[in-house]
């Protein structure tokens, strides 16, 4: 098994050092504190600066944490707050619908599952927290594509994969469905990623009305759909859960 990468360990040590201090630190101070050669410390600091994790004061030449660290930290807090606020509502949605409930956020060209409530029956199920779902062929992903420009931009970077005969892969068709999702306030995916599985999703917003995630139910087509159309009462349940979570995150209008 490969060991730790020394340069990454040193970069992490520099970030911790800058995070722990109450003032900016110069190159000599960073090098001395960590027992590094100045040239080594300088190279790591320059790389961190280029990536936005470190900033250098123009007058003193000293270093401090950069805006990218703040963005990553806020993202971490947002995801954990989202999950904490959603726990009760997700449980209620699973009980009301009788189906599996997922909570997802945009992550690396897909949807990261951050919370999963099992279908409330005795069937054997596998926890899927930490797994990824596609953007273009799942209810969670379709909601994010419809409301988050970042998600839509990521779709342009990777050609949509066809999973079943019902998967939309044409960008124009996907954009058309995104417009429909925005208009009606919910998304649906029927056998577009997995044969026999249908899902219904709705957007979760924060206090600034930014899209921060999505919630969906997922289950067998014969339970989620009726005559080939998703059941209206399930749509209502998903939308109510999304509104409730959004309200708990500070959103005031829907």
């Amino acid at each position: 098994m490969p060991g730790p990468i020394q340069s990454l360990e040193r970069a992490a040590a520099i970030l911790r050092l800058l995070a722990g201090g109450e003032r900016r630190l110069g190159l000599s101070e960073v090098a001395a504190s960590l027992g590094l050669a100045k040239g080594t410390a300088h190279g790591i600091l320059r790389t961190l600066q280029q990536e936005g994790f470190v900033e250098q004061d123009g007058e003193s030449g000293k270093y401090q944490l950069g805006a990218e660290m703040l963005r990553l930290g806020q993202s971490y807090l947002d995801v954990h707050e989202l999950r904490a606020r959603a726990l009760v509502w997700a449980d209620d949605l699973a009980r009301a619908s009788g189906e599996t409930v997922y909570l997802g956020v945009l992550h690396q060209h897909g949807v990261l599952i951050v919370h999963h409530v099992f279908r409330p029956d005795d069937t054997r199920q596998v926890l899927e927290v930490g797994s990824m779902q596609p953007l273009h062929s799942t209810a969670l992903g379709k909601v994010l594509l419809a409301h988050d420009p970042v998600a839509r931009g990521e779709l342009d970077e990777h050609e949509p994969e066809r999973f079943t005969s019902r998967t939309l892969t044409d960008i124009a068709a996907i954009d058309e469905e995104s417009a429909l999702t925005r208009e009606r306030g919910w998304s649906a995916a029927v056998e577009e990623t997995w044969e026999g599985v249908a899902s219904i999703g709705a957007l979760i917003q924060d206090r600034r009305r930014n899209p921060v995630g999505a919630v969906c139910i997922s289950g067998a087509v014969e339970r989620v759909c009726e005559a080939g159309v998703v059941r209206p009462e399930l749509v209502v349940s998903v939308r109510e859960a999304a509104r409730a979570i959004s309200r708990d995150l500070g959103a005031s209008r829907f």
Side-chain angles (χ1 to χ4, degrees):
M1 180 177 179
I5 300 173
Q6 188 180 57
S7 59
L8 293 180
E9 288 184 323
R10 288 171 171 175
I14 288 175
L15 292 174
R16 292 192 188 98
L17 179 65
L18 294 175
E22 296 181 0
R23 56 189 176 89
R24 299 184 180 100
L25 296 176
L27 173 60
S28 297
E29 294 170 300
V30 171
S33 296
L34 299 176
L36 299 175
K38 281 188 179 181
T40 300
H42 187 244
I44 296 173
L45 283 165
R46 281 182 61 84
T47 301
L48 291 172
Q49 184 179 359
Q50 289 171 0
E51 297 298 325
F53 295 116
V54 164
E55 295 174 356
Q56 187 177 27
D57 181 67
E59 294 184 4
S60 68
K62 293 188 174 184
Y63 296 90
Q64 64 184 20
L65 292 180
E68 185 67 9
M69 289 297 297
L70 177 62
R71 188 188 72 80
L72 291 178
Q74 186 62 49
S75 176
Y76 175 84
L77 291 174
D78 285 348
V79 168
H80 281 263
E81 182 183 8
L82 170 62
R83 185 177 183 277
R85 298 289 185 179
L87 291 178
V88 172
W89 300 112
D91 285 345
D92 288 347
L93 178 58
R95 283 194 295 270
S97 66
E99 302 296 344
T100 298
V101 173
Y102 295 111
L103 188 72
V105 298
L106 180 66
H107 181 69
Q108 293 182 350
H109 312 292
V111 183
L112 174 67
I113 303 302
V114 297
H115 186 54
H116 173 196
V117 183
F118 286 164
R119 183 173 61 255
D121 60 21
D122 296 328
T123 58
R124 186 170 180 267
Q125 300 171 64
V126 178
L127 187 66
E128 295 184 47
V129 172
S131 65
M132 296 288 293
Q133 292 189 3
L135 280 172
H136 65 291
S137 61
T138 62
L140 291 174
K142 289 183 179 187
V143 167
L144 295 174
L145 278 177
H147 294 277
D148 192 336
V150 175
R152 179 59 184 82
E154 291 190 351
L155 189 64
D156 287 330
E157 298 177 11
H158 294 79
E159 183 177 350
E161 180 179 352
R162 182 175 298 279
F163 299 104
T164 74
S165 61
R166 298 177 64 110
T167 307
L168 289 180
T169 58
D170 179 71
I171 297 298
I174 293 172
D175 284 341
E176 184 177 341
E177 187 172 31
S178 291
L180 176 61
T181 296
R182 286 190 295 271
E183 179 182 346
R184 67 188 182 185
W186 54 274
S187 66
V190 180
E191 296 188 290
E192 294 182 42
T193 307
W194 305 282
E195 298 282 357
V197 177
S199 56
I200 304 168
L203 182 70
I204 299 171
Q205 297 173 302
D206 65 9
R207 62 184 61 86
R208 297 177 297 276
R209 294 184 62 78
N210 293 324
V212 294
V215 62
C216 83
I217 62 167
S218 179
V221 172
E222 59 268 24
R223 295 194 307 267
V224 176
C225 298
E226 186 174 359
V229 179
V230 293
R231 291 164 50 194
E233 66 271 23
L234 294 180
V235 172
V236 171
S237 294
V238 173
R239 296 191 69 187
E240 287 179 348
R243 291 191 186 104
I245 298 167
S246 297
R247 280 195 298 269
D248 279 2
L249 288 170
S252 58
R253 304 187 309 279
F254 300 92

